[in-house]
């Protein structure tokens, strides 16, 4: 289904030149974007994309910048920061409610709305920074759950033909940290409808507390980072990675514990592989492989993207050498 562009009185678009992207990422790393648009409406977005076409420059869609490593050299194109922020409950069915949410809304805000309205299905998202658009793009998840469990439909702007389109759940083609939006960069997510179930508030709060405590205990939240650098690889059998992989603290058990979603009995925690290579605490420049969680690289203050990349390459090399496993990055690069 295609939606027509509604008539809209007046634009609101912030347009700037040479903007430091460092301040728009949770890593606090990165150079300048040549142009920077903050878009709040559909019309803003069309203008931004048209400007890119006119100037023959590439564009990059920026959400909360929490899964992103921006090059020290910056971006010779147009960074489009999604800032639409409408959020409302759509229907009042007895068992389920639909939440309409624009892509620029922070995940924390929609979790709050769900708690207030006694809706379950989003507890796992507590503590994940970033926007709803970014979370749908990468099918963000934790504790065996992900966006794919609650998304009903997604509205996009197709930058190729400048039409607004609705992607129903099936068309989103969600997979482990994957979606059609990740594969087709011409699709810019504008809004999402979530389907959530009713639940007692006390139960929701209990689940949220459990998820938060788990994260606080295991993640280096005191330093800037982009979350887990690598995806958890899968397709391995117990014992394949040596005797240690049979223990209760094995890579399989660690992955199943719920830090990542969709882990099966063959999924290995990337953090375990990195730790077993003795890489925890390794520092290059001002970037460090966290001692608390080996799949996090933290910025000790003034880390550069090139330091982080060196650590990423070192991890990939050592894990491949020791286990024969090639890790795949979860974070996006600009
Ligand atoms: C402390 C910490 C903990 C984290 N924990 C988790 C976790 O438990 N689980 C998890 O999955 N992730 C986690 N993350 C990673 C990150 O928060 C998520 O991946 C988040 O969903 C990214 O959203 P964002 O808006 O910040 O996206 P950005 O980082 O801004 O962008 C990521 C990608 O999405 C694209 N994108 C963003 N918005 C749109 C849009 N509207 N339309 C089209 N494309 C878009 C961008 O172009 C980019 O390629 C964590 C990160 C941190 C820093």
């Amino acid at each position: 289904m295609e939606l027509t562009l509604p008539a809209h009185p007046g634009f609101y678009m912030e347009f700037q030149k040479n903007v430091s992207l460092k301040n728009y990422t949770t890593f606090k790393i990165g150079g300048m974007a040549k142009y920077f648009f903050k878009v709040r409406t559909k019309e803003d977005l069309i203008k931004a994309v048209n400007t890119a076409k006119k100037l023959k420059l590439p564009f990059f869609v920026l959400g909360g910048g929490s899964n992103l490593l921006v090059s020290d050299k910056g971006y010779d194109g147009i960074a489009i920061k999604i800032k639409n922020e409408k959020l409302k409950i759509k229907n009042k069915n007895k068992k389920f409610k639909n939440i309409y949410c624009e892509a620029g809304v922070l995940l924390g805000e929609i979790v709050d709305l769900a708690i207030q309205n006694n809706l379950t299905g989003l507890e796992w998202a507590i503590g994940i920074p970033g926007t709803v658009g970014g979370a749908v793009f990468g099918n963000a998840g934790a504790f065996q759950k992900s966006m794919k469990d609650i998304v009903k439909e997604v509205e996009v702007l197709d930058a190729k033909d400048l039409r607004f389109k609705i992607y129903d759940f099936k068309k989103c083609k969600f997979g482990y940290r994957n979606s059609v939006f990740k594969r087709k960069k011409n699709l810019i997510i504008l809004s999402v409808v979530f389907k959530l179930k009713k639940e007692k508030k006390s139960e929701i709060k209990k689940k949220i507390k459990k998820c938060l405590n788990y994260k606080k205990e295991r993640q280096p939240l005191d330093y800037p980072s982009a979350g887990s650098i690598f995806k958890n690889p899968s397709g391995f059998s117990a014992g394949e990675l040596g005797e240690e992989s049979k223990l209760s603290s094995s890579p399989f058990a660690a992955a199943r514990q719920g830090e990542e979603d969709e882990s099966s009995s063959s999924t290995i925690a990337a953090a375990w592989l990195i730790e077993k290579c003795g890489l925890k605490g390794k520092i290059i420049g001002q970037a460090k492989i966290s001692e608390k969680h080996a799949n996090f690289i933290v910025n000790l203050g003034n880390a550069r993207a090139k330091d982080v990349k060196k650590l990423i390459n070192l991890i990939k090399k050592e894990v491949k050498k020791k286990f024969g496993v090639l890790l795949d990055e979860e974070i996006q690069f600009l």
Side-chain angles (χ1 to χ4, degrees):
M1 190 181 125
E2 293 181 5
L3 302 177
T4 46
L5 180 66
H8 190 276
F11 291 119
Y12 184 95
M13 175 162 62
E14 289 168 49
F15 168 71
Q16 292 164 276
K17 259 187 109 171
N18 299 326
V19 171
S20 167
L21 291 176
K22 189 176 179 162
N23 301 323
Y24 289 95
T25 71
T26 55
F27 235 147
K28 301 289 169 227
I29 294 174
M32 304 261 203
K34 186 165 188 171
Y35 295 104
F36 186 88
F37 281 119
K38 234 180 228 181
V39 308
R40 295 173 198 265
T41 66
K42 289 179 170 182
E43 291 81 0
D44 285 355
L45 188 56
I46 287 192
K47 266 199 154 185
V49 172
N50 270 334
T51 307
K53 286 185 178 177
K54 219 185 277 171
L55 296 176
K56 294 196 172 56
L57 283 174
F59 68 83
F60 182 85
V61 179
L62 184 62
S66 64
N67 201 23
L68 197 61
L69 180 63
V70 177
S71 155
D72 301 314
K73 292 188 184 128
Y75 180 57
D76 192 19
I78 301 182
I80 301 178
K81 164 84 179 155
I82 303 293
K83 275 298 270 181
N84 58 352
E85 291 172 337
K86 274 191 208 124
L87 176 61
K88 63 179 182 208
I89 303 234
K90 265 185 89 176
N91 74 332
K92 306 225 175 196
N93 180 296
K94 266 189 188 156
K95 257 180 143 179
F96 294 96
K97 276 187 187 177
N98 289 347
I99 295 184
Y100 167 85
C101 183
E102 288 190 332
V105 171
L106 293 174
L107 272 185
E109 288 175 53
I110 185 168
V111 173
D112 282 349
L113 186 80
I115 302 172
Q116 282 161 25
N117 288 277
N118 305 332
L119 296 170
T120 185
L122 261 167
E123 296 87 339
W124 57 269
I126 191 78
I128 302 183
T131 62
V132 165
V136 168
F137 171 94
N139 187 23
F143 306 100
Q144 313 282 336
K145 299 266 192 293
S146 67
M147 278 288 148
K148 77 166 184 343
D149 300 314
I150 48 172
V151 167
K152 191 165 180 282
E153 63 185 35
V154 178
E155 184 190 9
V156 299
L157 173 71
D158 187 334
K160 268 193 193 154
D161 57 14
L162 288 183
R163 286 177 181 269
F164 296 103
K165 297 175 183 174
I166 299 291
Y167 274 59
D168 64 13
F169 170 77
K170 229 173 142 192
K171 270 179 89 180
C172 293
K173 295 205 167 66
F174 287 120
Y176 172 51
R177 295 296 174 272
N178 210 345
S179 74
V180 68
F181 314 108
K182 207 168 194 177
R183 292 187 289 271
K184 295 188 176 178
K185 296 281 165 54
N186 53 305
L187 301 177
I188 305 176
I189 300 167
L190 270 160
S191 67
V192 184
V193 176
F194 293 107
K195 190 176 177 185
L196 299 178
K197 216 169 144 189
K198 285 215 178 148
E199 173 64 282
K200 277 193 204 145
K201 203 184 286 288
S202 55
E203 285 303 311
I204 298 171
K205 284 192 165 171
K206 218 193 284 172
K207 280 191 213 164
I208 285 198
K209 199 171 169 195
K210 213 170 142 193
C211 295
L212 259 185
N213 286 343
Y214 187 94
K215 292 201 158 205
K216 275 185 196 157
E217 269 171 35
R218 291 169 177 80
Q219 296 183 355
L221 302 175
D222 297 339
Y223 289 96
S225 79
S228 291
I229 297 287
F230 298 101
K231 294 182 200 163
N232 287 334
S234 61
F236 300 88
S237 54
E240 201 179 326
L241 302 164
E243 277 306 299
E244 271 185 290
S245 69
K246 292 180 184 158
L247 305 173
S248 64
S249 62
S250 76
F252 304 100
R256 273 195 305 276
Q257 254 179 15
E259 247 172 70
E260 307 292 336
D261 73 320
E262 289 164 301
S263 47
S264 65
S265 54
S266 73
T267 300
I268 316 166
W272 188 90
L273 297 172
I274 300 165
E275 184 178 344
K276 292 296 159 195
C277 289
L279 290 170
K280 264 188 170 182
K282 172 83 186 161
I283 295 176
I284 294 182
Q286 294 255 299
K288 178 179 178 183
I289 300 174
S290 166
E291 319 235 23
K292 207 168 174 184
H293 192 311
N295 199 10
F296 275 57
I297 293 177
V298 295
N299 178 358
L300 297 176
N302 269 316
R304 303 191 35 96
K306 71 169 197 248
D307 303 329
V308 176
K309 278 193 185 150
K310 277 185 193 160
L311 281 179
I312 288 175
N313 290 337
L314 177 72
I315 290 170
K316 287 176 88 165
K317 197 176 104 200
E318 294 300 316
V319 168
K320 178 86 175 111
K321 197 162 79 188
K322 187 168 169 74
F323 295 107
V325 175
L326 184 62
L327 290 176
D328 185 21
E329 289 90 335
E330 179 181 322
I331 60 164
Q332 304 296 301
F333 296 90
L334 179 64

